[in-house]
């Protein structure tokens, strides 16, 4: 059993922590070796280390653990072919493209906020803080009560709470 190793050695070989291996075991991505009947440490095979490396590489490409489980299943499916894996990669790239578009929108919005900012002065006159507050209010459905003295949150995922307007 020259190829078998302890969890610490397997973690070192795979470039992860021991807790990562345990996490992958709990998630069903790798099998936990049986404890030897005479006691002692569980032994991990070289194939398990390779599987852990595969998981890490897939994570670095942006695949979720669920998607990685699907890739691992394809890897062991004798009826699967490269087109199945390609479809997974194409779907992931589409997700990435969507995230890039969102980040570009965020960058554009920040560019506008920065351009409108006077760059100094009292914080109460900060155009960036005002814009963020207005955006948050719009997203969370804030509206004034009958007296106009306070704002009431309606339908915001962060919960219901009362927010007073300046001067109220």
């Amino acid at each position: 059993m020259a190829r078998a190793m302890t969890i610490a050695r397997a973690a070192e070989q795979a470039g992860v922590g021991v807790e990562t291996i345990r996490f992958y075991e709990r998630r069903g991505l790798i099998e936990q070796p049986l404890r030897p009947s005479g006691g002692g440490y569980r032994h991990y095979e070289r194939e398990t280390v390779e599987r852990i490396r595969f998981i890490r590489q897939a994570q670095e490409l942006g695949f979720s653990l669920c998607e990685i489980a699907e890739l691992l299943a394809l890897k062991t499916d004798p009826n699967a072919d490269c087109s199945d894996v390609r479809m997974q990669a194409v779907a992931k790239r589409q997700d990435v493209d969507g995230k890039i578009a969102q980040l570009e929108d965020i960058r554009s919005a920040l560019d506008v906020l920065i351009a409108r900012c006077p760059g100094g002065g009292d914080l109460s006159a900060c155009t960036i803080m005002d814009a963020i507050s207005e955006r948050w209010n719009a997203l969370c459905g804030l509206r004034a009560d009958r007296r106009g003295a306070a704002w009431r949150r309606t339908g915001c995922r962060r919960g219901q709470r009362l927010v007073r307007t300046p001067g109220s």
Side-chain angles (χ1 to χ4, degrees):
M1 212 186 242
R3 295 177 52 183
M5 58 195 91
T6 64
I7 191 170
R9 181 76 176 140
E12 179 184 318
Q13 292 289 309
V16 300
V18 169
E19 287 304 314
T20 300
I21 292 178
R22 290 188 177 125
F23 177 73
Y24 291 164
E25 289 171 344
R26 286 191 302 270
R27 293 295 303 261
L29 296 170
I30 61 173
E31 288 185 29
Q32 184 180 52
L34 296 173
R35 190 175 298 275
S37 58
Y41 297 109
R42 292 184 170 97
H43 292 282
Y44 292 78
E45 298 294 328
R46 184 88 190 128
E47 292 77 24
T48 302
V49 171
E50 293 304 321
R51 190 171 173 102
I52 294 166
R53 286 182 183 153
F54 178 90
I55 294 166
R56 295 300 289 181
Q57 287 295 113
Q59 283 182 303
E60 287 180 20
L61 288 171
F63 288 98
S64 69
L65 293 179
C66 182
E67 293 165 333
I68 293 169
E70 292 171 4
L71 289 172
L72 290 167
L74 286 173
K75 198 173 182 180
T76 59
D77 181 355
N79 298 318
D81 69 13
C82 191
S83 67
D84 298 319
V85 178
R86 186 177 195 279
M87 285 182 358
Q88 292 274 7
V90 167
K92 179 49 59 183
R93 187 182 64 197
Q94 289 171 341
D95 288 347
V96 169
D97 288 343
K99 289 177 184 177
I100 289 171
Q102 276 184 312
L103 289 171
E104 287 172 345
D105 290 345
I106 291 169
R107 177 189 288 253
S108 295
L110 287 170
D111 287 344
V112 169
L113 290 175
I114 292 166
R116 291 182 181 168
C117 178
D122 190 57
L123 191 59
S124 65
C126 179
T127 57
I128 295 174
M129 295 295 273
D130 288 344
I132 292 171
S133 294
E134 288 173 21
R135 173 92 171 130
W136 178 253
N137 293 347
L139 287 174
C140 293
L142 295 179
R143 56 190 158 141
D145 67 8
R146 284 183 293 194
R147 296 183 311 263
W151 292 90
R152 198 170 42 250
R153 195 175 299 276
T154 58
C156 183
R157 282 193 238 168
R158 299 214 181 249
Q160 304 293 322
R161 68 177 191 225
L162 190 63
V163 179
R164 296 243 176 240
T165 59
S168 50

